[in-house]
Amino acid sequence: MSPTTSLRSRIAPSPDRPRKHARLVEILDAHGADRILLTGTEALAWYFDGPRTAVPLGGAPVFSATVHRDGTAVVTALANEAERLAHEEIAGAEFRVIDWFGDLQAADPGTLRETDATAELRAARASLLPFERERYAALGRDMAAALTRVLSAATPRTTERELAGALSRAIYEAGAEPAVTLVAGASRAHVQHPLPTDAALGDRAMGVATGRRHGLHVSVTRWVRFAPEDSATRDAERRLLEVEADVWAATVPGRTLDDVLGDIRAAYARQGFGPDAWLRHHQGGPTGYNGRDPKAAPGSTDLVRAGQAFAWNPWAHADGVGVKTEDTVIVDGDGSVTALSADPAWPTLDVRGIARPATLDLS
């Protein structure tokens, strides 16, 4: 096939595109470049308003894009993907079609590569724009409702795989894709990332899901129980919600992720989980066009941005009890925290004036 074609997008770009392009131009200015080659899932999904970039879930993108200072965007697409991308996925671009075995990383001399501006691109997509926020809020509502519906129908005899399958189906039915689906029954509540097994749920279970739609990720964790709750579990759940409240209070625009992580460490100790509890599982971090963008880690210099999405996921295992809490939120410049993945049908507890999900009682 010819390396060029007259194929063009059939879709109009979102109202946010001019502001996204302005952010890219700032990066080009900083590097003295006139164009940038985008090759990663996060950058491509962000700039082009949320296309599905890969065919295998979590796979490598099947296209790349060169964005020029003047706003022209040229997508390089594999021959077996190009028409679908132009007709169904990618807005506001011209297309260059290459063989299905062609090189998506090739660029003309003088082109700035995404890998040379990774941190700057991550910062550029951090503060969500109005159209993104609308899409994100809708996805959050759909994800929360999906977990409520699926977990409400579970029984002690439901297996982890059956529950994971039902969660995945509900996410697809919402027009999203299941980027993560985890389930822990009572026998596996101590497992940090409980990939589902054939074990029955038993007396207590956790469902975890990350759904992706328009490139955006919403992560949610919910618990359900089929027997009366004991005092040790109730106490551990409440203390972990206090850790989460401390985490949100620490997530202030202008602070580094390392600063926030320091407060997280202190919160675990203050709530009686011990000074090293934070080491037993990652704590989450910013989200958006990646499940964690990036995952918060010691030494991270990424700044918290106003209007940025976060999915912190405090986790602990103490006295034989496993507990976790997680919702996707947006932190604004005034310090307010808006939970995207809240469902009014789910029972809640008041934690410092914020409604947080309680364990659903199906006993």
Side-chain angles (χ1 to χ4, degrees):
M1 176 172 284
S2 169
T4 60
T5 180
S6 59
L7 189 65
R8 296 181 63 88
S9 302
R10 288 187 178 179
I11 311 165
S14 80
D16 290 338
R17 181 70 65 82
R19 293 176 65 180
K20 292 178 180 178
H21 183 255
R23 293 178 184 181
L24 276 191
V25 170
E26 290 180 2
I27 296 173
L28 293 175
D29 288 344
H31 289 267
D34 288 322
R35 58 192 177 275
I36 183 170
L37 176 67
L38 304 179
T39 54
T41 293
E42 302 91 337
L44 290 166
W46 167 70
Y47 190 75
F48 290 104
D49 310 318
R52 290 172 290 184
T53 62
V55 175
L57 288 176
V62 294
F63 67 97
S64 60
T66 301
V67 182
H68 296 259
R69 179 181 292 276
D70 66 3
T72 304
V74 180
V75 167
T76 298
L78 303 180
N80 58 322
E81 307 289 351
E83 287 192 10
R84 177 183 60 83
L85 291 170
H87 296 171
E88 301 177 1
E89 301 284 349
I90 296 175
E94 302 172 3
F95 276 73
R96 173 177 177 265
V97 181
I98 62 174
D99 291 315
W100 57 262
F101 51 84
D103 183 7
L104 294 173
Q105 305 288 326
D108 293 332
T111 302
L112 176 65
R113 291 183 175 273
E114 178 181 333
T115 50
D116 293 323
T118 301
E120 294 153 290
L121 284 164
R122 193 162 59 232
R125 61 180 177 263
S127 294
L128 296 165
L129 294 165
F131 191 67
E132 292 175 303
R133 289 183 69 132
E134 290 177 14
R135 283 180 157 182
Y136 225 156
L139 176 59
R141 290 191 297 269
D142 289 347
M143 284 293 297
L147 267 80
T148 297
R149 184 171 67 256
V150 171
L151 287 173
S152 295
T155 74
R157 296 174 299 282
T158 303
T159 69
E160 293 175 345
R161 291 190 199 279
E162 287 171 340
L163 188 62
L167 284 171
S168 296
R169 175 173 179 168
I171 293 169
Y172 274 118
E173 288 176 341
E177 296 173 328
V180 176
T181 309
L182 306 174
V183 177
S187 65
R188 301 180 68 237
H190 62 286
V191 179
Q192 290 93 327
H193 278 152
L195 295 171
T197 71
D198 290 325
L201 299 183
D203 289 346
R204 179 170 176 259
M206 176 182 72
V208 180
T210 297
R212 177 179 58 219
R213 191 170 69 199
H214 303 306
L216 296 165
H217 293 68
V218 165
S219 298
V220 191
T221 294
R222 295 289 186 264
W223 289 86
V224 61
R225 60 183 173 87
F226 307 98
E229 189 173 53
D230 62 86
S231 59
T233 301
R234 185 166 54 250
D235 176 66
E237 289 175 340
R238 184 68 195 217
R239 286 188 289 125
L240 195 73
L241 287 171
E242 291 292 338
V243 172
E244 179 187 61
D246 285 340
V247 173
W248 287 353
T251 309
V252 176
R255 302 190 77 201
T256 68
L257 293 183
D258 182 65
D259 292 335
V260 179
L261 196 57
D263 286 348
I264 293 174
R265 295 195 294 265
Y268 276 103
R270 186 163 50 249
Q271 295 301 329
F273 292 109
D276 295 330
W278 70 281
L279 291 170
R280 299 194 63 187
H281 189 35
H282 79 81
Q283 301 302 309
T287 186
Y289 290 92
N290 199 352
R292 299 295 184 269
D293 196 18
K295 188 182 297 180
S300 174
T301 59
D302 286 69
L303 297 178
V304 176
R305 310 276 176 170
Q308 188 171 13
F310 285 84
W312 297 110
N313 50 257
W315 178 97
H317 185 253
D319 300 322
V321 177
V323 286
K324 182 190 177 191
T325 183
E326 178 185 32
D327 269 299
T328 301
V329 306
I330 292 179
V331 176
D332 281 307
D334 60 0
S336 61
V337 174
T338 302
L340 299 174
S341 47
D343 183 1
W346 192 273
T348 60
L349 298 169
D350 181 272
V351 181
R352 304 186 202 175
I354 299 177
R356 300 302 302 127
T359 296
L360 179 63
D361 182 4
L362 296 179
S363 60

